[in-house]
Amino acid sequence: EPKPRGRLMVWLEDRYRRVLKFSLRRRWLSPVIGLIIVGSAVFPFQRIDMNFDANNTELFVQVRYDISEEMTLDRKEELVSRLEQHLEPHRDELMARSIYSFWNDRFALTRIYLAEGEATEDNINRVRNRLRELLPEIAGVRLSVDENSQQWRRHRGADRVAFQLVGEDTETLLELSEEAIRRVEAIPGLLDVETRHSEAQQELHIQPDRDLAVRYDLTPEQVSQVVGLTYRGRRLQRFRTADGEREMRLTLDEQETETIDQLRNLPLHAGSGEKVPLAAVADLKQVPGREHIQRDNRLTSIWVTARYNEGTREHYIPQVEAALADMDFPYGYRWTFGDWQARQREQSKEFLTNLLLALMLVFAVMAGLFESVRQALALMVSLPFALAGAVWTLYLTGTDFDQPAAIGLLLLIGIVVNNGIVMLEHINQYRRRGMDRAEAMVKGGTERLRPILMTAVTTLIGLVPIVVQKPSLGGVYYYSMALVIMGGLAVSAFMTSVLLPTTASLSEDIFGFFGSIPGRLRLRGRVAPPSRAGVRK
């Protein structure tokens, strides 16, 4: 004996039956309501970022040191120790499990690793914003909070806009970047405008005096050979042992190459046979030099990035273009957004192609199983509702349409049609028994309401932990995919239950009307005009 239904389910079915009867009596409301819901998605669609990139996870927040002068390792150790002592009282506030610093002759970094289970995207952003307020002012040192190491270049990641300065000389590009930063900082809404480049390191340049070298019968090649032998040594023939060959190199004792004065007094053998110190024929200068120079398409480049908290990237790009439009660039220098626009167009094209293929395959399968193009078209009504629900969900939660969200939208296409298939097939069973169409739709839709709600609610509940906890898999956040599925499924399940029967009846009547036109035209062609034979005037 079947168990009696609960009051809530009885109340829902009663209200649903009334709404469905009203919808079937006024079928013209269905396309109007559908168009309004789908059209409303234009508003949020224009206000969410479409980056098609994966949102990578982070385990720490990093502080970068930009030091204006050369520092010894001991002074750098004092500097990072000072910052660590400054941050130590705020350890709980920063949710820090450990504060770790490392430095060498080229750079210094401090990282705040969050406690176990606290390294979520919201906590990382909260710690990053708080850390900007806590960083002390140190003379000669600029402390800045780094973004994700993969987000600063080429518009990767959310809430960032970047452009590229291209030219021949790095120093000239750095000067241009300072002016570009001043211009972009004046744009309301853009924050943390900065440039990323390899910091200059001190190098010792040996510049021979050609006149003095000729006077002592020395050549620049001799100078370079002696200096190279002194500091790099000379490679000798390999020494064969019982275990194999050994690399052999002739070098000086490290104590002989410790100071610049020792290099100045490095003896060179002149043509006359006398020894001449290196300082007598060459100038030794310390100049800044770069260990890494970024080059794109055989041109040196520097990236300038900015962050924004509100709006979209497409909103700020025209403002950046206007700010840099009248900037004076030397010959051979220019600015560009780089190849991200072409890459984004390619990703958008690939996504649209995959979306169209998915729609075509779903339609083909449904048309084949139902053996009716009319009902297959009616089932497709749930897809625009799913799209509208997904877009509104991303907008209300402040989430970008990234790569996982695109995957979620493709999965959503196959999920939302299930409810329509279950309802429409149940309605067809009653119609095959001879029941009236309207009565079959009301009865079949009411009986299928409970399974539709059960499948939708269980799917939504199963995705809630992903949205709340925001876990990562393979270093990527997938909560945007869960949000797309939840929003699209919730809206489509409700609207499909109400509008699918009406849409199916409209589809059948429209196809039936246009399908009967050829038959009526043939019948009219067969009717002969009245004969006028035998009529006298």
Side-chain angles (χ1 to χ4, degrees), residues 17 38 66 97 202-203 275 282 323 509 532:
R17 190 181 298 106
V38 175
D66 291 334
R97 178 186 51 169
Q202 293 297 320
E203 296 179 348
K275 293 183 179 181
D509 293 345
R532 303 181 64 88

Side-chain angles (χ1 to χ4, degrees), residues 264-282:
R264 294 178 184 275
N265 297 324
L266 183 67
L268 302 174
H269 292 277
S272 60
E274 61 179 333
K275 293 183 179 181
V276 180
L278 177 61
V281 297

